Amino acid sequence: MKFISESSQAEPMKELLNYLRQNASLSDSHIRKLDIKKNQILTSNQNSPEHTIFLIQEGIAFFEVFYQDKPHITSFYSDWTLFHAEPILKQAFTFEIKLPYRVRAATEMVVYEINRDFLIDHLYVQPKFFHFLAELGLASLSFSTFMTAINKLPANETLAIHLQILATYIGEKHGTAYHLPSAISQSVLASLCNCAQSSISGHLHFLVKEGILESSSKPFIIKDMDALASCYDSSITISAMH
């Protein structure tokens, strides 16, 4: 499966933001630039949160769901990711799902709060942006389905896949190695993989022993992406779209 990586969606997303802001007098009342501190919860200041869309310019956020009153990280957002402030499933289905959740800043962030109707109105004028966001939405749906499926795999394979996805999306490449942000810790990996941290720790130590990881603690450095890929079923392929 090939994903739309951060680098491939950045330029059209920047172009979209510039397009929305071209009329300063109009955009100022519909777009707000926010400086978000680490661990701050992203919430909408609008009367109707379902009318708010966030665009991350810089930073990482965790999507966390609550189970037994404890937050569990199920996914993440990174640079130039667009996401809805509040799920709108009730408008699409004949039933409503209420799932306690929050979006928490894992790093300091720069985020734009955009009025949804303002964005949609502009898409009518520029169909190319509509096509881009439609393709991005379909890709995100496929990604969510894939992420759900891999958590059914053995823990060691699930961990290897998550590490490769994180490297592809938000890792920094240094030579042949990929450096993950310090926001990605053992506890974050355990939550993403839906495994006990003790189990993840054991698998990380194995990857270090095999020369795939530099160490079993953050910041994680993936020394050999090809060897990491050999840790899960060969029928699964992950690569960035450029």
Side-chain angles (χ1 to χ4, degrees), residues 6-32:
E6 174 189 304
S7 59
S8 63
Q9 73 185 47
E11 289 307 317
M13 201 66 83
K14 291 176 187 177
E15 189 179 352
L16 171 60
L17 180 61
N18 289 335
Y19 167 62
L20 294 175
R21 300 176 68 195
Q22 63 185 357
N23 187 332
S25 60
L26 183 61
S27 66
D28 284 350
S29 60
H30 294 92
I31 301 175
R32 293 196 313 135

PDB file of all heavy atoms in Angstrom, residues 6-32:
ATOM      1  N   GLU A   6       3.712  13.238   3.961  1.00  0.00           N
ATOM      2  CA  GLU A   6       3.694  14.649   4.320  1.00  0.00           C
ATOM      3  C   GLU A   6       4.293  15.502   3.210  1.00  0.00           C
ATOM      4  O   GLU A   6       3.781  16.562   2.883  1.00  0.00           O
ATOM      5  CB  GLU A   6       4.477  14.820   5.622  1.00  0.00           C
ATOM      6  CG  GLU A   6       4.680  16.257   6.055  1.00  0.00           C
ATOM      7  CD  GLU A   6       5.633  16.336   7.221  1.00  0.00           C
ATOM      8  OE1 GLU A   6       5.375  15.680   8.242  1.00  0.00           O
ATOM      9  OE2 GLU A   6       6.628  17.047   7.095  1.00  0.00           O
ATOM     10  N   SER A   7       5.394  15.039   2.615  1.00  0.00           N
ATOM     11  CA  SER A   7       6.077  15.839   1.602  1.00  0.00           C
ATOM     12  C   SER A   7       5.244  16.019   0.347  1.00  0.00           C
ATOM     13  O   SER A   7       5.275  17.067  -0.288  1.00  0.00           O
ATOM     14  CB  SER A   7       7.427  15.188   1.244  1.00  0.00           C
ATOM     15  OG  SER A   7       7.234  13.870   0.765  1.00  0.00           O
ATOM     16  N   SER A   8       4.465  14.999  -0.043  1.00  0.00           N
ATOM     17  CA  SER A   8       3.699  15.084  -1.276  1.00  0.00           C
ATOM     18  C   SER A   8       2.445  15.922  -1.135  1.00  0.00           C
ATOM     19  O   SER A   8       1.948  16.470  -2.116  1.00  0.00           O
ATOM     20  CB  SER A   8       3.334  13.678  -1.765  1.00  0.00           C
ATOM     21  OG  SER A   8       2.502  13.027  -0.841  1.00  0.00           O
ATOM     22  N   GLN A   9       1.901  16.056   0.089  1.00  0.00           N
ATOM     23  CA  GLN A   9       0.692  16.838   0.276  1.00  0.00           C
ATOM     24  C   GLN A   9       0.998  18.263   0.718  1.00  0.00           C
ATOM     25  O   GLN A   9       0.106  19.121   0.727  1.00  0.00           O
ATOM     26  CB  GLN A   9      -0.242  16.183   1.290  1.00  0.00           C
ATOM     27  CG  GLN A   9       0.201  16.274   2.737  1.00  0.00           C
ATOM     28  CD  GLN A   9      -0.724  15.503   3.665  1.00  0.00           C
ATOM     29  OE1 GLN A   9      -1.069  14.364   3.400  1.00  0.00           O
ATOM     30  NE2 GLN A   9      -1.111  16.138   4.756  1.00  0.00           N
ATOM     31  N   ALA A  10       2.253  18.552   1.059  1.00  0.00           N
ATOM     32  CA  ALA A  10       2.602  19.864   1.602  1.00  0.00           C
ATOM     33  C   ALA A  10       2.374  20.983   0.603  1.00  0.00           C
ATOM     34  O   ALA A  10       1.724  21.985   0.917  1.00  0.00           O
ATOM     35  CB  ALA A  10       4.054  19.862   2.090  1.00  0.00           C
ATOM     36  N   GLU A  11       2.893  20.842  -0.606  1.00  0.00           N
ATOM     37  CA  GLU A  11       2.808  21.936  -1.577  1.00  0.00           C
ATOM     38  C   GLU A  11       1.372  22.276  -1.960  1.00  0.00           C
ATOM     39  O   GLU A  11       0.997  23.451  -1.935  1.00  0.00           O
ATOM     40  CB  GLU A  11       3.656  21.620  -2.812  1.00  0.00           C
ATOM     41  CG  GLU A  11       5.145  21.686  -2.563  1.00  0.00           C
ATOM     42  CD  GLU A  11       5.588  23.004  -1.938  1.00  0.00           C
ATOM     43  OE1 GLU A  11       5.097  24.062  -2.385  1.00  0.00           O
ATOM     44  OE2 GLU A  11       6.402  22.972  -1.014  1.00  0.00           O
ATOM     45  N   PRO A  12       0.524  21.292  -2.339  1.00  0.00           N
ATOM     46  CA  PRO A  12      -0.872  21.661  -2.638  1.00  0.00           C
ATOM     47  C   PRO A  12      -1.612  22.217  -1.431  1.00  0.00           C
ATOM     48  O   PRO A  12      -2.492  23.068  -1.571  1.00  0.00           O
ATOM     49  CB  PRO A  12      -1.496  20.353  -3.133  1.00  0.00           C
ATOM     50  CG  PRO A  12      -0.581  19.264  -2.691  1.00  0.00           C
ATOM     51  CD  PRO A  12       0.773  19.871  -2.638  1.00  0.00           C
ATOM     52  N   MET A  13      -1.260  21.773  -0.202  1.00  0.00           N
ATOM     53  CA  MET A  13      -1.918  22.298   0.985  1.00  0.00           C
ATOM     54  C   MET A  13      -1.493  23.748   1.232  1.00  0.00           C
ATOM     55  O   MET A  13      -2.312  24.597   1.625  1.00  0.00           O
ATOM     56  CB  MET A  13      -1.605  21.433   2.190  1.00  0.00           C
ATOM     57  CG  MET A  13      -2.600  21.579   3.320  1.00  0.00           C
ATOM     58  SD  MET A  13      -4.256  20.965   2.906  1.00  0.00           S
ATOM     59  CE  MET A  13      -4.059  19.207   3.240  1.00  0.00           C
ATOM     60  N   LYS A  14      -0.221  24.053   1.000  1.00  0.00           N
ATOM     61  CA  LYS A  14       0.250  25.434   1.111  1.00  0.00           C
ATOM     62  C   LYS A  14      -0.458  26.312   0.086  1.00  0.00           C
ATOM     63  O   LYS A  14      -0.858  27.450   0.383  1.00  0.00           O
ATOM     64  CB  LYS A  14       1.768  25.500   0.890  1.00  0.00           C
ATOM     65  CG  LYS A  14       2.604  24.875   1.977  1.00  0.00           C
ATOM     66  CD  LYS A  14       4.083  24.926   1.601  1.00  0.00           C
ATOM     67  CE  LYS A  14       4.939  24.166   2.593  1.00  0.00           C
ATOM     68  NZ  LYS A  14       6.371  24.151   2.179  1.00  0.00           N
ATOM     69  N   GLU A  15      -0.595  25.795  -1.120  1.00  0.00           N
ATOM     70  CA  GLU A  15      -1.267  26.535  -2.183  1.00  0.00           C
ATOM     71  C   GLU A  15      -2.732  26.803  -1.816  1.00  0.00           C
ATOM     72  O   GLU A  15      -3.262  27.891  -2.050  1.00  0.00           O
ATOM     73  CB  GLU A  15      -1.184  25.761  -3.497  1.00  0.00           C
ATOM     74  CG  GLU A  15      -1.666  26.535  -4.707  1.00  0.00           C
ATOM     75  CD  GLU A  15      -1.535  25.745  -5.999  1.00  0.00           C
ATOM     76  OE1 GLU A  15      -0.928  24.660  -5.985  1.00  0.00           O
ATOM     77  OE2 GLU A  15      -2.066  26.222  -7.029  1.00  0.00           O
ATOM     78  N   LEU A  16      -3.380  25.807  -1.214  1.00  0.00           N
ATOM     79  CA  LEU A  16      -4.769  25.968  -0.791  1.00  0.00           C
ATOM     80  C   LEU A  16      -4.873  27.054   0.281  1.00  0.00           C
ATOM     81  O   LEU A  16      -5.769  27.912   0.238  1.00  0.00           O
ATOM     82  CB  LEU A  16      -5.307  24.645  -0.258  1.00  0.00           C
ATOM     83  CG  LEU A  16      -6.681  24.677   0.427  1.00  0.00           C
ATOM     84  CD1 LEU A  16      -7.746  25.167  -0.545  1.00  0.00           C
ATOM     85  CD2 LEU A  16      -7.049  23.297   0.978  1.00  0.00           C
ATOM     86  N   LEU A  17      -3.976  27.023   1.270  1.00  0.00           N
ATOM     87  CA  LEU A  17      -4.008  28.013   2.337  1.00  0.00           C
ATOM     88  C   LEU A  17      -3.799  29.422   1.778  1.00  0.00           C
ATOM     89  O   LEU A  17      -4.505  30.370   2.164  1.00  0.00           O
ATOM     90  CB  LEU A  17      -2.944  27.694   3.381  1.00  0.00           C
ATOM     91  CG  LEU A  17      -2.848  28.662   4.568  1.00  0.00           C
ATOM     92  CD1 LEU A  17      -4.159  28.688   5.349  1.00  0.00           C
ATOM     93  CD2 LEU A  17      -1.685  28.270   5.484  1.00  0.00           C
ATOM     94  N   ASN A  18      -2.849  29.563   0.863  1.00  0.00           N
ATOM     95  CA  ASN A  18      -2.607  30.877   0.259  1.00  0.00           C
ATOM     96  C   ASN A  18      -3.825  31.350  -0.523  1.00  0.00           C
ATOM     97  O   ASN A  18      -4.146  32.545  -0.522  1.00  0.00           O
ATOM     98  CB  ASN A  18      -1.380  30.810  -0.663  1.00  0.00           C
ATOM     99  CG  ASN A  18      -0.081  30.658   0.106  1.00  0.00           C
ATOM    100  OD1 ASN A  18       0.013  31.044   1.271  1.00  0.00           O
ATOM    101  ND2 ASN A  18       0.920  30.076  -0.528  1.00  0.00           N
ATOM    102  N   TYR A  19      -4.483  30.427  -1.185  1.00  0.00           N
ATOM    103  CA  TYR A  19      -5.695  30.758  -1.942  1.00  0.00           C
ATOM    104  C   TYR A  19      -6.798  31.256  -1.008  1.00  0.00           C
ATOM    105  O   TYR A  19      -7.471  32.247  -1.294  1.00  0.00           O
ATOM    106  CB  TYR A  19      -6.155  29.526  -2.729  1.00  0.00           C
ATOM    107  CG  TYR A  19      -7.540  29.621  -3.306  1.00  0.00           C
ATOM    108  CD1 TYR A  19      -7.869  30.593  -4.248  1.00  0.00           C
ATOM    109  CD2 TYR A  19      -8.534  28.727  -2.911  1.00  0.00           C
ATOM    110  CE1 TYR A  19      -9.152  30.668  -4.785  1.00  0.00           C
ATOM    111  CE2 TYR A  19      -9.809  28.796  -3.432  1.00  0.00           C
ATOM    112  CZ  TYR A  19     -10.117  29.769  -4.372  1.00  0.00           C
ATOM    113  OH  TYR A  19     -11.387  29.843  -4.881  1.00  0.00           O
ATOM    114  N   LEU A  20      -6.969  30.582   0.129  1.00  0.00           N
ATOM    115  CA  LEU A  20      -8.000  30.979   1.077  1.00  0.00           C
ATOM    116  C   LEU A  20      -7.701  32.339   1.708  1.00  0.00           C
ATOM    117  O   LEU A  20      -8.621  33.072   2.101  1.00  0.00           O
ATOM    118  CB  LEU A  20      -8.131  29.931   2.183  1.00  0.00           C
ATOM    119  CG  LEU A  20      -8.651  28.550   1.780  1.00  0.00           C
ATOM    120  CD1 LEU A  20      -8.599  27.600   2.965  1.00  0.00           C
ATOM    121  CD2 LEU A  20     -10.068  28.628   1.217  1.00  0.00           C
ATOM    122  N   ARG A  21      -6.446  32.695   1.791  1.00  0.00           N
ATOM    123  CA  ARG A  21      -6.049  33.932   2.472  1.00  0.00           C
ATOM    124  C   ARG A  21      -5.791  35.090   1.524  1.00  0.00           C
ATOM    125  O   ARG A  21      -5.333  36.157   1.946  1.00  0.00           O
ATOM    126  CB  ARG A  21      -4.790  33.674   3.301  1.00  0.00           C
ATOM    127  CG  ARG A  21      -4.959  32.602   4.382  1.00  0.00           C
ATOM    128  CD  ARG A  21      -3.650  32.323   5.091  1.00  0.00           C
ATOM    129  NE  ARG A  21      -3.221  33.453   5.891  1.00  0.00           N
ATOM    130  CZ  ARG A  21      -1.984  33.597   6.382  1.00  0.00           C
ATOM    131  NH1 ARG A  21      -1.071  32.664   6.136  1.00  0.00           N
ATOM    132  NH2 ARG A  21      -1.655  34.632   7.101  1.00  0.00           N
ATOM    133  N   GLN A  22      -6.083  34.909   0.230  1.00  0.00           N
ATOM    134  CA  GLN A  22      -5.748  35.948  -0.742  1.00  0.00           C
ATOM    135  C   GLN A  22      -6.548  37.238  -0.530  1.00  0.00           C
ATOM    136  O   GLN A  22      -6.096  38.329  -0.863  1.00  0.00           O
ATOM    137  CB  GLN A  22      -5.945  35.429  -2.169  1.00  0.00           C
ATOM    138  CG  GLN A  22      -7.369  35.047  -2.527  1.00  0.00           C
ATOM    139  CD  GLN A  22      -7.472  34.437  -3.909  1.00  0.00           C
ATOM    140  OE1 GLN A  22      -6.474  34.350  -4.634  1.00  0.00           O
ATOM    141  NE2 GLN A  22      -8.657  34.007  -4.313  1.00  0.00           N
ATOM    142  N   ASN A  23      -7.741  37.119   0.023  1.00  0.00           N
ATOM    143  CA  ASN A  23      -8.550  38.287   0.360  1.00  0.00           C
ATOM    144  C   ASN A  23      -8.476  38.483   1.875  1.00  0.00           C
ATOM    145  O   ASN A  23      -9.239  37.885   2.627  1.00  0.00           O
ATOM    146  CB  ASN A  23      -9.999  38.099  -0.097  1.00  0.00           C
ATOM    147  CG  ASN A  23     -10.839  39.354   0.083  1.00  0.00           C
ATOM    148  OD1 ASN A  23     -10.574  40.170   0.955  1.00  0.00           O
ATOM    149  ND2 ASN A  23     -11.858  39.501  -0.741  1.00  0.00           N
ATOM    150  N   ALA A  24      -7.539  39.328   2.309  1.00  0.00           N
ATOM    151  CA  ALA A  24      -7.253  39.455   3.733  1.00  0.00           C
ATOM    152  C   ALA A  24      -8.471  39.908   4.534  1.00  0.00           C
ATOM    153  O   ALA A  24      -8.729  39.389   5.630  1.00  0.00           O
ATOM    154  CB  ALA A  24      -6.099  40.424   3.948  1.00  0.00           C
ATOM    155  N   SER A  25      -9.223  40.860   4.013  1.00  0.00           N
ATOM    156  CA  SER A  25     -10.363  41.381   4.758  1.00  0.00           C
ATOM    157  C   SER A  25     -11.430  40.316   4.977  1.00  0.00           C
ATOM    158  O   SER A  25     -12.141  40.331   5.990  1.00  0.00           O
ATOM    159  CB  SER A  25     -10.977  42.575   4.022  1.00  0.00           C
ATOM    160  OG  SER A  25     -11.421  42.196   2.724  1.00  0.00           O
ATOM    161  N   LEU A  26     -11.540  39.374   4.040  1.00  0.00           N
ATOM    162  CA  LEU A  26     -12.526  38.304   4.158  1.00  0.00           C
ATOM    163  C   LEU A  26     -11.987  37.142   4.987  1.00  0.00           C
ATOM    164  O   LEU A  26     -12.680  36.609   5.859  1.00  0.00           O
ATOM    165  CB  LEU A  26     -12.930  37.809   2.764  1.00  0.00           C
ATOM    166  CG  LEU A  26     -14.025  36.736   2.688  1.00  0.00           C
ATOM    167  CD1 LEU A  26     -15.324  37.272   3.293  1.00  0.00           C
ATOM    168  CD2 LEU A  26     -14.251  36.303   1.242  1.00  0.00           C
ATOM    169  N   SER A  27     -10.730  36.773   4.748  1.00  0.00           N
ATOM    170  CA  SER A  27     -10.172  35.598   5.416  1.00  0.00           C
ATOM    171  C   SER A  27      -9.929  35.830   6.901  1.00  0.00           C
ATOM    172  O   SER A  27      -9.981  34.897   7.700  1.00  0.00           O
ATOM    173  CB  SER A  27      -8.862  35.167   4.736  1.00  0.00           C
ATOM    174  OG  SER A  27      -7.861  36.153   4.900  1.00  0.00           O
ATOM    175  N   ASP A  28      -9.680  37.081   7.283  1.00  0.00           N
ATOM    176  CA  ASP A  28      -9.389  37.367   8.694  1.00  0.00           C
ATOM    177  C   ASP A  28     -10.535  36.977   9.611  1.00  0.00           C
ATOM    178  O   ASP A  28     -10.313  36.662  10.789  1.00  0.00           O
ATOM    179  CB  ASP A  28      -9.070  38.849   8.880  1.00  0.00           C
ATOM    180  CG  ASP A  28      -7.672  39.209   8.392  1.00  0.00           C
ATOM    181  OD1 ASP A  28      -6.904  38.278   8.096  1.00  0.00           O
ATOM    182  OD2 ASP A  28      -7.367  40.412   8.293  1.00  0.00           O
ATOM    183  N   SER A  29     -11.754  36.999   9.104  1.00  0.00           N
ATOM    184  CA  SER A  29     -12.905  36.641   9.928  1.00  0.00           C
ATOM    185  C   SER A  29     -13.232  35.157   9.861  1.00  0.00           C
ATOM    186  O   SER A  29     -14.121  34.692  10.574  1.00  0.00           O
ATOM    187  CB  SER A  29     -14.133  37.460   9.499  1.00  0.00           C
ATOM    188  OG  SER A  29     -14.451  37.206   8.145  1.00  0.00           O
ATOM    189  N   HIS A  30     -12.522  34.408   9.012  1.00  0.00           N
ATOM    190  CA  HIS A  30     -12.808  32.981   8.847  1.00  0.00           C
ATOM    191  C   HIS A  30     -11.604  32.084   9.104  1.00  0.00           C
ATOM    192  O   HIS A  30     -11.749  30.866   9.182  1.00  0.00           O
ATOM    193  CB  HIS A  30     -13.333  32.708   7.430  1.00  0.00           C
ATOM    194  CG  HIS A  30     -14.665  33.341   7.154  1.00  0.00           C
ATOM    195  ND1 HIS A  30     -14.802  34.588   6.606  1.00  0.00           N
ATOM    196  CD2 HIS A  30     -15.915  32.882   7.359  1.00  0.00           C
ATOM    197  CE1 HIS A  30     -16.086  34.878   6.464  1.00  0.00           C
ATOM    198  NE2 HIS A  30     -16.781  33.866   6.931  1.00  0.00           N
ATOM    199  N   ILE A  31     -10.425  32.691   9.222  1.00  0.00           N
ATOM    200  CA  ILE A  31      -9.201  31.906   9.440  1.00  0.00           C
ATOM    201  C   ILE A  31      -8.421  32.536  10.589  1.00  0.00           C
ATOM    202  O   ILE A  31      -8.185  33.748  10.607  1.00  0.00           O
ATOM    203  CB  ILE A  31      -8.316  31.860   8.177  1.00  0.00           C
ATOM    204  CG1 ILE A  31      -9.068  31.238   7.006  1.00  0.00           C
ATOM    205  CG2 ILE A  31      -7.038  31.070   8.455  1.00  0.00           C
ATOM    206  CD1 ILE A  31      -8.291  31.264   5.700  1.00  0.00           C
ATOM    207  N   ARG A  32      -8.032  31.716  11.562  1.00  0.00           N
ATOM    208  CA  ARG A  32      -7.211  32.183  12.675  1.00  0.00           C
ATOM    209  C   ARG A  32      -5.949  31.350  12.776  1.00  0.00           C
ATOM    210  O   ARG A  32      -5.998  30.125  12.696  1.00  0.00           O
ATOM    211  CB  ARG A  32      -7.975  32.092  14.002  1.00  0.00           C
ATOM    212  CG  ARG A  32      -9.159  33.028  14.127  1.00  0.00           C
ATOM    213  CD  ARG A  32      -9.602  33.155  15.587  1.00  0.00           C
ATOM    214  NE  ARG A  32      -9.696  31.853  16.248  1.00  0.00           N
ATOM    215  CZ  ARG A  32      -9.217  31.611  17.474  1.00  0.00           C
ATOM    216  NH1 ARG A  32      -8.564  32.538  18.146  1.00  0.00           N
ATOM    217  NH2 ARG A  32      -9.385  30.420  18.028  1.00  0.00           N
TER     218      ARG A  32
END
